[in-house]
Amino acid sequence: MARSLAGFLVFSLFVSICGAASLFQPISDSHRSAALELFTPDHGSFKSLEETYEALRTFEVLGIEKKPDVTASACRSISETLGSPSSTPKDLFYALKANSIAKCRINEKTSEGIITKLNAAVGGANSLLDFYYSVGGLVLIKDQTSRADVHLADTEGVFRSVKAFSQSDGRWRYSSNNPESSAFAAGIALETLAGIISLASSEIDQSLINTLKNDISKLFDSIEKYDDGSLYFDDKLVDGREYQGPLSTTSSVVRGLTAFAAVTAGSLNLPGDKILGLAKFFLGIEAPGDAKDFFNQIDSLACLENNRVSIPLILSLPSSVLSLTKKDSLKVRVNTVLGSNAPPLTVKLVGAYSSGSKDTSLVETQDLKFEAGTGVHILNNLPKTIDVGSYTFVFEIVLHESEHEKIYVTGSQTKVPIFVTGLIKIENAEIVLDNDLGNVEAQKKLDLAGQNAVSLSANHLQKLRLSFQLTTPRGHAFKPHQALLKLRHESKIEHIFVVGNPGKKFEIVLDFLQLVDKFFYLSGRYDIELAVGDAVMENSLLQAIGHVELDLPEPPEKAPRPPAQPVDPYSRYGPKAEIEHIFRAPDKRPPKELSLAFLGLTILPLLGFLVGLLRLGVNLKNFPTKAAPALFGILFHVGIGAVLLLYVFFWLKLDLFQTLKLLGFLGVFLVFVGHRILSHLAGTSSKLKSA
């Protein structure tokens, strides 16, 4: 139970600190480590050019230097795809995407063939994805070759063909035959239209651009929001084949939005807070475990890092837990989503609110000091009004130059959960044993910061009183999350009581007369433990105080019985006790001389056999003279000798099972060689008779 009680205190601390989960952090080294784990080539290459591009793009954005070298295999695959007459516009699109990073050489003849093929694909396109791959391929080949004449023949016509897939709510369809629309398709459409604008030989009708900007505003009207301020897009298709998750959908919109903003003049009239909310959505995911999702996250953040709409700045804290005892400073960082340095700015602490009261700020507005060497904004000393506890600090970012306000977005105010911890002073702790008349019969001072070994004796007519005071480093009374007193009987039955806080001190009174039923009338020794814990209490304790010998009356007939104690799994499935067995006395054996006499009798037949051989003499007249039969004859006699030797080992060393096993092998051997030699002798005998 002590283990479970301590676990409960740790769990409470964990749950409390997890309230800071809404604190967003820019891309860090953990993302770089995750990228190397997720994008691992198989035998020096990836499965497809699409995966190759996603891996190379991720490594490029994160600035990973020690990355797998797949350039040679990538260039070989790119060259084969670009030079193959059977390559589809999608194949060419991802080959050119991968080549935009791999920088493989493309000859002029191949480039001309690709341009011709993609222009033909644009003319025959009848779906959004057809336009996306063919137009995107032309944009890529234009950037990778020295030719400047890569243009679309009928730019406005192609623009209107793609625009025909748009819907009134800002979403887009994949084709005219598909009535379902989605935000994911809207992102693809915006990226495609951005490519059409960049391939135009003359300026496109501004009314078309303005209509598209209006569609973007309608699309952002359907954006969804989490409680932490992050924004995302999600499609509501339940059974649709083209359904994508929130991460893929939001990533598609961000890519399309930033691509369109890069090729058009003027503002898109999108609030900066929405761009900041999108950045928070991607950063709040941390590091996805899927390679595709990870690429979508990193690529989208790279698009937000460099865009013409608004570049989001992220306020983060190296630590949201500050210690009053250690005199920790409040440190704040402001970076872009990829961790780059922010422009000159000031971070202001405009408010601090206790978790119990969020109406009145505990601090006055003050600027944090900026350290240029570390890029950190610091508040060295926390205000005296800040004591141990959980707070919500409110920060505001002020850019120094007005021009930067058109480029960067910081949000109005940023709320950050902060935990202030410290050592809690425990004093005036005592345990008292008195009776109904209030007479003190035993009183012990306790040192809850050290060791205690209190030994008390009591009966059912007495009371046990425990009291102590808790004080914060600022000198205020402190009320922890848990203050529990536990009594454990020698039979392992435990009783837990909540220590109350009626005033400035914590106190609990156990009236044993009122507790006899709860204690099941069990007399004996009760160990006493005190647990005091809180998320902001650096010296939380779970301490044994001592024990009390209780003398309770005999239980009445209908008294409650103690519950059955749970079986310890270690004792149930652990090693069992050793079994001691007494064997019966061995039977009485015959004298040694008699045993030797019977041994001699068993040997007599063998001796008779040997004597008979000597009397008859050895006859080798019929022994074969040819090599093969002679070899089988020798092996047969050796086998007979081996069987006789096996009998000797059976008597001296081997048991019956070992002997039978070896005898089986020898028997098979003897049958084989014996059959061969006997066959030879029978054949020789028949030849002699016929002669």
Side-chain angles (χ1 to χ4, degrees), residues 427-443:
E427 54 189 357
N428 299 330
E430 64 177 5
I431 187 169
V432 178
L433 193 64
D434 56 17
N435 54 30
D436 288 339
L437 301 176
N439 299 325
V440 176
E441 298 184 1
Q443 183 175 7

Side-chain angles (χ1 to χ4, degrees), residues 29 85 121 140 151 175 191 239 251 266-267 292 351 532 534:
D29 290 336
L140 290 168
H151 299 293
S175 67
E191 196 172 352
D239 299 320
S251 177
S267 173
K292 185 72 174 180
V532 180
D534 194 282

Side-chain angles (χ1 to χ4, degrees), residues 106-228:
I106 305 175
N107 59 56
E108 289 295 327
K109 184 177 180 181
T110 303
S111 300
E112 291 178 1
I114 294 172
I115 294 171
T116 302
K117 191 171 187 177
L118 291 177
N119 271 313
V122 172
N126 54 16
S127 70
L128 180 59
L129 290 177
D130 291 342
F131 284 109
Y132 174 71
Y133 292 128
S134 54
V135 172
L138 288 172
V139 173
L140 290 168
I141 196 68
K142 179 180 180 181
D143 296 336
Q144 296 175 30
T145 61
S146 57
R147 295 185 57 176
D149 58 341
V150 181
H151 299 293
L152 291 175
D154 183 13
T155 305
E156 286 198 7
V158 177
F159 193 101
R160 295 179 187 276
S161 297
V162 176
K163 185 66 177 65
F165 299 127
S166 66
Q167 300 291 92
S168 59
D169 60 354
R171 299 175 184 268
W172 293 63
R173 296 176 297 163
Y174 286 96
S175 67
S176 56
N177 298 326
N178 187 354
E180 298 288 352
S181 60
S182 70
F184 184 87
I188 293 177
L190 290 175
E191 196 172 352
T192 304
L193 294 172
I196 294 173
I197 295 173
S198 64
L199 293 173
S201 56
S202 59
E203 188 175 351
I204 294 180
D205 187 359
Q206 191 61 35
S207 63
L208 294 175
I209 304 296
N210 293 334
T211 303
L212 190 55
K213 289 182 179 180
N214 187 46
D215 291 342
I216 294 175
S217 299
K218 292 179 181 179
L219 177 64
F220 270 79
D221 290 339
S222 63
I223 199 168
E224 300 188 43
K225 182 178 182 180
Y226 285 125
D227 293 338
D228 58 7

